[in-house]
Amino acid sequence: MRSWRLARTSMRRGFGLPARRFSAKTKPNFSQTSSNGVRYTVITASAIAGVGGIWWFTKPTRDTVPVIELQASKHTLNKPDLSSDEITQILSQEAYSFLIKGVSGVDRYDGTQLASNGICEDRFIHGKLPSPRDDDKPWMAWAIFDGHAGWQTADLLEKQLVPLVQQYLRQATIAFGEQSGYKEAIQQAITKAFVDLDSSIVETAQETAQSNLPFQEKMQKLLPAFAGSCALLSLYDPVTSNLHVACTGDSRAVLGQKNSDGTWTATPLSIDQTGSNTDEISRIQKEHPGEENIVKNGRVLGIMVSRAFGDGRWKWPVEFQNDMIKKFEAPPLRPGNESKTPPYITAKPVVTSTVIDPETPSFVIIASDGLWDMLTDQQAVTLVSTWLDSQTPFTTPSNSTTNHKPTYPPFDLSQISHNSTTGRFSEERTVLKDKENVAVHLLRNSLGGNHAELIGGRLAATYPYSRDLRDDITVQVAFFNCEGV
């Protein structure tokens, strides 16, 4: 046991105080002997309190230490499977539905969203848009922004893209008397808004990096260029009955139209822009002659989509990209992918314009790729038409439904592989349960339908494990001329 002198000296040195020595006359006797004969040194509270800085001994406080509850927890490892009501609650928690008044030809639209990432990387908007003609006949707008490598780019698009499109539509000279001229002017205005906004995201990153802004502010402004996002925008003009669809990336819009025999036809209004699209591959190879292996295994230098907002690593000059990696930890290209002549991807959209026949019941499905990973175009249209047929009348959905409850053998993920369709939609698993919202109906059936174990397992998994079972999914469905169908 150290003597009091050593103990006191060490303690004072530990707090930055000079050592003090005691004479034999003044040295306090703190040494005591216990009942078993062991000699020990006592340092009293008053001695400690005398040392400067020991505030935790001197500051009066009350006991606020939490007491651990020892009773059995309500949560156990043997929690029952998700109930039917719990599944419905998860699928419906972000659902919305609106009847539309004052916009000719559009009856209603439904939507929902299901997150898989820890923070959902999808964003969306919907609603009326002031007419660019200033004729008091508002347009309708629906848009989905499917983010990747973060939510920041999609979040920026949600706030800024449609206002910029609206601004450019107002500025455009539109030849309303000539349909072809009208379509061309609309498409050019939309395209310019997409390209200009992406340029402001990517190109101003260099100004931000070289500015005198505080580092944390620089990082905040750079994040939308580090991350990326697809964009799918649909604009409906009630005067001309034109539905304009602008696509950058692999979200998709599909039109369902009722035939005279009662069947429904699916028509894609956008084409996925990925490294598996032969037209996109040809475009990229033409823009970068002599560069081999830009597109491999359906990816463009490692990225799935061939068009997107943000994603500076595929667009910045090589020297600037290296500088961003060094100074700001910007995400680099994956090993094995070499950037020589960027940009390799673009935000320029492909814009289509389709006349919605006012005499034909129609609807458009607008969804991020998380839905289309599970459903074909025709399967999605058939699911919506089945839901539509169940509405009597259309505007007041019924809560009553009867569904056969099939039984399935025990399920586990060994039944799903990358080359298997087990995890995709199957007609035999179709269920009609979500009669209040057709987007929720699509979501449920895409994830498993009446197969309780499949859909329950997908929903029970949380991030990051859920990413192997489902993507972030955002769905919007708008109905045209369907009232009373």
Side-chain angles (χ1 to χ4, degrees):
M1 178 66 68
R2 294 187 303 174
S3 69
W4 159 250
R5 180 178 299 174
L6 291 176
R8 181 64 179 261
T9 300
S10 298
M11 183 174 68
R12 291 184 60 83
R13 286 174 178 170
F15 289 103
L17 301 175
R20 292 177 56 187
R21 296 182 180 274
F22 293 90
S23 68
K25 294 181 179 180
T26 61
K27 174 182 176 183
N29 183 16
F30 294 119
S31 296
Q32 298 182 15
T33 304
S34 66
S35 58
N36 59 4
V38 177
R39 190 173 181 81
Y40 60 93
T41 300
V42 177
I43 301 177
T44 66
S46 60
I48 295 176
V51 180
I54 315 295
W55 61 268
W56 53 85
F57 280 105
T58 61
K59 184 178 180 181
T61 62
R62 59 187 179 87
D63 185 358
T64 58
V65 178
V67 177
I68 298 174
E69 187 176 342
L70 299 179
Q71 68 181 25
S73 173
K74 298 177 182 179
H75 304 283
T76 68
L77 294 177
N78 297 319
K79 186 181 183 298
D81 295 338
L82 289 175
S83 69
S84 176
D85 288 343
E86 287 174 322
I87 289 175
T88 297
Q89 182 180 6
I90 293 172
L91 296 175
S92 304
Q93 61 188 354
E94 300 295 335
Y96 54 89
S97 183
F98 293 92
L99 297 178
I100 302 174
K101 304 296 183 182
V103 182
S104 176
V106 192
D107 305 312
R108 164 180 172 162
Y109 66 89
D110 294 358
T112 195
Q113 183 177 79
L114 177 67
S116 180
N117 287 288
I119 298 178
C120 184
E121 295 179 341
D122 284 7
R123 297 291 186 271
F124 61 89
I125 56 173
H126 53 83
K128 293 181 180 179
L129 190 69
S131 170
R133 305 188 193 93
D134 293 323
D135 57 5
D136 296 323
K137 295 182 179 179
W139 291 23
M140 288 300 304
W142 303 275
I144 290 175
F145 310 110
D146 181 1
H148 49 259
W151 51 267
Q152 292 84 357
T153 315
D155 196 67
L156 184 148
L157 296 180
E158 178 189 20
K159 297 176 175 65
Q160 298 189 19
L161 183 58
V162 171
L164 188 61
V165 168
Q166 171 71 354
Q167 175 186 335
Y168 285 7
L169 287 175
R170 287 182 177 275
Q171 296 173 354
T173 301
I174 303 175
F176 291 108
E178 183 182 349
Q179 189 74 311
S180 60
Y182 157 77
K183 288 183 179 180
E184 182 180 356
I186 291 290
Q187 292 177 1
Q188 288 178 351
I190 295 172
T191 299
K192 178 174 172 57
F194 273 55
V195 172
D196 285 358
L197 182 54
D198 186 57
S199 295
S200 72
I201 295 171
V202 176
E203 294 177 5
T204 58
Q206 189 165 3
E207 297 177 15
T208 299
Q210 297 173 351
S211 71
N212 293 322
L213 292 172
F215 178 73
Q216 64 269 25
E217 189 171 343
K218 289 182 180 181
M219 287 298 298
Q220 186 178 28
K221 290 179 176 292
L222 289 171
L223 289 177
F226 290 174
S229 180
C230 302
L232 180 63
L233 171 63
S234 295
L235 297 172
Y236 178 69
D237 175 4
V239 173
T240 63
S241 299
N242 266 280
L243 181 64
H244 307 284
V245 175
C247 178
T248 291
D250 60 358
S251 296
R252 191 185 312 162
V254 176
L255 180 67
Q257 290 181 302
K258 192 171 186 178
N259 302 314
S260 58
D261 61 359
T263 61
W264 290 77
T265 299
T267 304
L269 302 183
S270 65
I271 303 298
D272 299 357
Q273 299 155 358
T274 69
S276 299
N277 182 323
T278 55
D279 290 338
E280 288 293 283
I281 294 173
S282 297
R283 176 184 64 81
I284 293 170
Q285 290 176 337
K286 184 177 180 180
E287 293 174 354
H288 303 274
E291 291 187 53
E292 299 180 356
N293 298 321
I294 296 178
V295 181
K296 294 185 295 185
N297 302 320
R299 293 178 176 269
V300 181
L301 293 183
I303 191 171
M304 183 72 73
V305 292
S306 55
R307 303 193 189 209
F309 284 82
D311 289 322
R313 72 193 98 167
W314 285 274
K315 298 174 181 179
W316 285 324
V318 176
E319 183 178 350
F320 180 63
Q321 166 70 2
N322 292 334
D323 196 45
M324 294 295 284
I325 294 172
K326 180 180 179 180
K327 295 180 178 179
F328 297 96
E329 290 290 339
L333 292 175
R334 296 176 182 177
N337 297 309
E338 183 180 357
S339 179
K340 296 180 179 179
T341 58
Y344 292 95
I345 63 175
T346 177
K348 183 178 180 180
V350 174
V351 187
T352 63
S353 299
T354 304
V355 175
I356 303 299
D357 186 351
E359 303 298 324
T360 303
S362 308
F363 54 80
V364 62
I365 305 169
I366 305 161
S368 57
D369 67 323
L371 182 78
W372 304 115
D373 287 342
M374 306 295 182
L375 293 168
T376 66
D377 297 354
Q378 187 61 56
Q379 287 171 341
V381 166
T382 299
L383 282 170
V384 174
S385 66
T386 300
W387 180 92
L388 190 57
D389 289 342
S390 73
Q391 307 303 306
T392 50
F394 169 66
T395 55
T396 55
S398 169
N399 289 320
S400 62
T401 181
T402 57
N403 289 289
H404 172 61
K405 188 175 181 180
T407 58
Y408 294 96
F411 179 83
D412 61 51
L413 295 180
S414 65
Q415 300 173 37
I416 299 179
S417 68
H418 294 295
N419 299 319
S420 171
T421 59
T422 305
R424 289 178 59 87
F425 169 76
S426 173
E427 186 176 354
E428 67 178 11
R429 296 198 295 259
T430 300
V431 63
L432 183 57
K433 187 171 184 177
D434 308 288
K435 300 188 76 174
E436 293 291 336
N437 190 297
V438 70
V440 178
H441 170 69
L442 278 172
L443 183 60
R444 182 190 296 273
N445 282 281
S446 72
L447 293 174
N450 61 27
H451 195 316
E453 282 199 307
L454 177 56
I455 189 171
R458 278 179 160 147
L459 295 179
T462 56
Y463 180 79
Y465 313 107
S466 56
R467 293 294 289 120
D468 293 328
L469 300 175
R470 54 185 170 86
D471 195 359
D472 293 335
I473 302 175
T474 305
V475 188
Q476 298 174 329
V477 183
F479 293 95
F480 304 89
N481 315 303
C482 286
E483 188 171 1
V485 172

